[in-house]
Amino acid sequence: MTDVTATDAPATADAATDSLTVRDNRTGQSYDIAITDNTIKAADLGQIRLDEGPGLATYDPGFVNTASCRSSVTFIDGEEGILEYRGYPIEQLAEKSNFLEVAYLLIHGALPSKAEYDAWVHEITYHTFVHENVKSFTEGFRYDAHPMGMLMASTGALSTFYPDARNINDVENRHLQIVRMIAKMPTLGAWSFRHTQGKPFVYPDNDLSYTANFLSMLFKMSEQRFEADERLVKALDVLFILHADHEQNASTNAVRSVGSTQVDPYSAVSAGVGALFGPLHGGANEAVLRMLRRIGTTSEIPAFIEGVKDGNEKLMGFGHRVYKNYDPRARIIKKAAEDVFEVTGTNPLLDIALELEKIALEDEYFIKRKLYPNVDFYSGLIYEAFQFPPEMFTVLFAIGRTPGWLAQWLELVQDKEQKIARPKQIYTGDRTLDFVPASERWA
Ligand code: COA
């Protein structure tokens, strides 16, 4: 390995500028390890070994300080509270773009020309229908099945309808699967919702916009056409934009990890849906609403905050692995909430949320730990105003995140540096025990 040089010289001598000199105090030997992009290659540490033992490795549960890839999709500065997709600030995209244009940007890396945009919208629109058998198997779920469980299963099941998706090295084929998945996620999500409601499935209406069609598939009953209030369509579209990507978050990491086996993108994205289901990730907004309801009145907030500080529970919707500042998405969502409540009337839980935020932002416990509202703190309140049951919140997140997962997957499959994701472990169990057959153990 050329990036590492072992020397007997003192640790600081003659080290190249862009390198790290480490001294192994077990052997007294020093090593110069190349620094590139403010990282060292963990594999380079493998040269550092005691006698013939295994090379030195890093231990990083939860990947708190490990870069797993190079990516040009999304930039986050957690300290400053900055989020950019392909270089464009989230605030500008939320205000001036729409979800399908943002999806194009994420997938293609640049904003579309008029012709490219029209072709993209046309492609997505004409792939919104799913195979009729999807309907039958969705009907097979229990009446109380969680929509995320259904979405995870149906996303994975698309791989059986499109076996050609396994051909991941073909550029056009990849494009077709990406279009299919972005187009069909709202249909799958809406149908999982309709199933839990015991209502008939609504087919896509391709004369409506992406987001208006989704609302139609969710809420249409006997009317000829379901036309949602434009302000609600816009608000949901903004929410999709805010969720569209977030660099190497847990679900994207799951998509990349599974995708690194070179499986088809439906299977990889289905793993992402599974990761998103967890309450520490996409399930947090559902948990926020439960928390707000449990608090019940603003007078109960101080007692609740004390419980959080005593470590009895977490203030859901606060804190973030990356943001150590106000999550820029939370700011935009707070504004979108106002627009939605103009149409639907205020959610009484909003008062509790606002007061909770105010108290927490002034409290030493939260200040010291840099805990600020994240995207989930207010999104649940908006979703509830749309009359979504809490189980649907994460489905909405998944639909928004799909272009991001796919942009990251696309980057992964074209990245020559990537390998199958296969971490090391520190083994802590027994060794070389002698197996005693059951007949002797139980005698
Ligand atoms: N409420 C109360 N305390 C919190 C907290 C919260 N929401 N989030 C973090 N903390 C505390 C931790 O207890 C820890 O305190 P300590 O140093 O005294 O042990 C400290 O802040 C650091 O937290 P840690 O758990 O190490 O941060 P993380 O980066 O591993 O976790 C989250 C990030 C998002 C998982 C975490 O903040 C969390 O669980 N938040 C609530 C769930 C949520 O809103 N998730 C949505 C994310 S978009």
Side-chain angles (χ1 to χ4, degrees):
M1 201 171 293
T2 52
D3 288 347
V4 180
T5 25
T7 71
D8 291 324
T12 50
D14 297 322
T17 323
D18 288 337
S19 71
L20 173 76
T21 302
V22 287
R23 182 185 155 94
D24 185 345
N25 291 324
R26 299 170 302 179
T27 60
Q29 195 155 41
S30 292
Y31 301 80
D32 290 342
I33 299 175
I35 297 177
T36 314
D37 299 322
N38 202 34
T39 60
I40 57 163
K41 284 189 182 152
D44 286 349
L45 296 174
Q47 297 291 307
I48 304 174
R49 55 181 79 230
L50 193 58
D51 303 325
E52 293 307 303
L56 196 69
T58 56
Y59 176 55
D60 191 5
F63 302 122
V64 293
N65 196 26
T66 296
S68 63
C69 61
R70 292 172 191 282
S71 179
S72 62
V73 181
T74 289
F75 173 80
I76 298 177
D77 182 332
E79 292 296 329
E80 297 295 325
I82 294 172
L83 169 62
E84 294 170 359
Y85 297 159
R86 302 287 190 185
Y88 294 98
I90 191 67
E91 292 81 2
Q92 291 182 25
L93 295 172
E95 192 190 332
K96 298 177 187 157
S97 186
N98 65 56
F99 179 62
L100 281 191
E101 188 179 39
V102 168
Y104 184 100
L105 171 69
L106 287 167
I107 299 293
H108 293 88
L111 289 169
S113 65
K114 168 93 175 82
E116 286 165 340
Y117 176 75
D118 289 345
W120 174 248
V121 172
H122 179 86
E123 275 186 305
I124 302 281
T125 307
Y126 285 87
H127 281 90
T128 48
F129 278 70
V130 292
H131 194 287
E132 275 295 287
N133 289 3
V134 172
K135 210 164 105 181
S136 338
F137 79 68
T138 305
E139 280 162 354
F141 285 108
R142 265 179 62 128
Y143 66 96
D144 58 353
H146 197 294
M148 272 302 268
M150 289 192 262
L151 184 67
M152 178 166 47
S154 53
T155 308
L158 288 185
S159 71
T160 67
F161 293 96
Y162 306 111
D164 54 322
R166 269 174 263 157
N167 189 6
I168 62 162
N169 294 320
D170 182 84
V171 177
E172 279 173 26
N173 192 291
R174 286 197 300 246
H175 177 76
L176 176 60
Q177 312 313 331
I178 286 171
V179 166
R180 279 178 174 152
M181 217 176 316
I182 295 174
K184 293 178 200 310
M185 284 301 264
T187 314
L188 300 178
W191 285 11
S192 63
F193 174 68
R194 298 288 287 204
H195 179 69
T196 58
Q197 302 265 307
K199 290 180 181 159
F201 298 146
V202 178
Y203 287 104
D205 180 343
N206 288 346
D207 289 330
L208 295 175
S209 73
Y210 185 86
T211 304
N213 169 50
F214 176 53
L215 287 169
S216 159
M217 289 189 290
L218 289 163
F219 297 120
K220 183 172 183 294
M221 290 306 290
S222 62
E223 61 272 52
Q224 278 296 313
R225 165 163 290 167
F226 180 88
E227 288 188 68
D229 188 298
E230 264 311 307
R231 289 168 294 177
L232 295 183
V233 175
K234 172 72 186 151
L236 189 56
D237 205 72
V238 167
L239 280 154
F240 283 157
I241 293 173
L242 298 184
H243 286 94
D245 196 54
H246 213 229
E247 51 118 304
Q248 307 312 312
N249 57 91
S251 57
T252 299
N253 183 58
V255 171
R256 278 183 173 264
S257 185
V258 172
S260 77
T261 66
Q262 301 192 348
V263 74
D264 68 88
Y266 300 104
S267 303
V269 167
S270 152
V273 178
L276 193 63
F277 197 178
L280 293 189
H281 192 5
N285 49 16
E286 187 178 336
V288 170
L289 273 194
R290 264 189 270 114
M291 174 188 78
L292 294 175
R293 241 178 233 117
R294 198 156 42 82
I295 295 172
T297 64
T298 47
S299 60
E300 291 298 319
I301 293 175
F304 172 79
I305 293 273
E306 283 314 306
V308 170
K309 285 157 64 174
D310 289 344
N312 300 337
E313 60 184 311
K314 278 187 169 171
L315 171 51
M316 298 309 284
F318 259 66
H320 199 275
R321 172 60 61 79
V322 177
Y323 293 116
K324 302 302 169 197
N325 201 324
Y326 212 102
D327 181 339
R329 301 167 302 169
R331 236 185 269 283
I332 301 167
I333 288 198
K334 220 171 153 181
K335 166 76 181 66
E338 286 164 19
D339 299 344
V340 168
F341 294 149
E342 217 174 79
V343 183
T344 63
T346 308
N347 187 331
L349 295 177
L350 179 67
D351 291 339
I352 300 176
L354 288 170
E355 185 65 14
L356 197 52
E357 176 187 338
K358 188 166 157 276
I359 293 179
L361 290 182
E362 286 166 0
D363 192 294
E364 186 55 26
Y365 174 94
F366 298 91
I367 295 169
K368 202 172 110 206
R369 291 171 177 76
K370 298 187 177 174
L371 300 171
Y372 294 87
N374 60 48
V375 69
D376 290 314
F377 194 65
Y378 288 104
S379 61
L381 291 172
I382 301 189
Y383 295 149
E384 196 170 67
F386 274 88
Q387 302 195 332
F388 288 119
E391 309 81 68
M392 270 303 284
F393 297 174
T394 328
V395 170
L396 304 171
F397 190 158
I399 293 169
R401 183 54 56 87
T402 300
W405 285 331
L406 292 166
Q408 301 270 352
W409 170 79
L410 201 54
E411 198 171 61
L412 165 91
V413 296
Q414 296 176 89
D415 183 349
K416 300 264 182 292
E417 284 186 357
Q418 285 296 327
K419 291 177 180 300
I420 185 167
R422 203 308 186 183
K424 277 181 180 288
Q425 64 166 7
I426 300 172
Y427 180 66
T428 60
D430 293 327
R431 292 284 321 279
T432 58
L433 301 178
D434 275 327
F435 178 74
V436 182
S439 55
E440 288 175 34
R441 289 193 327 270
W442 299 341

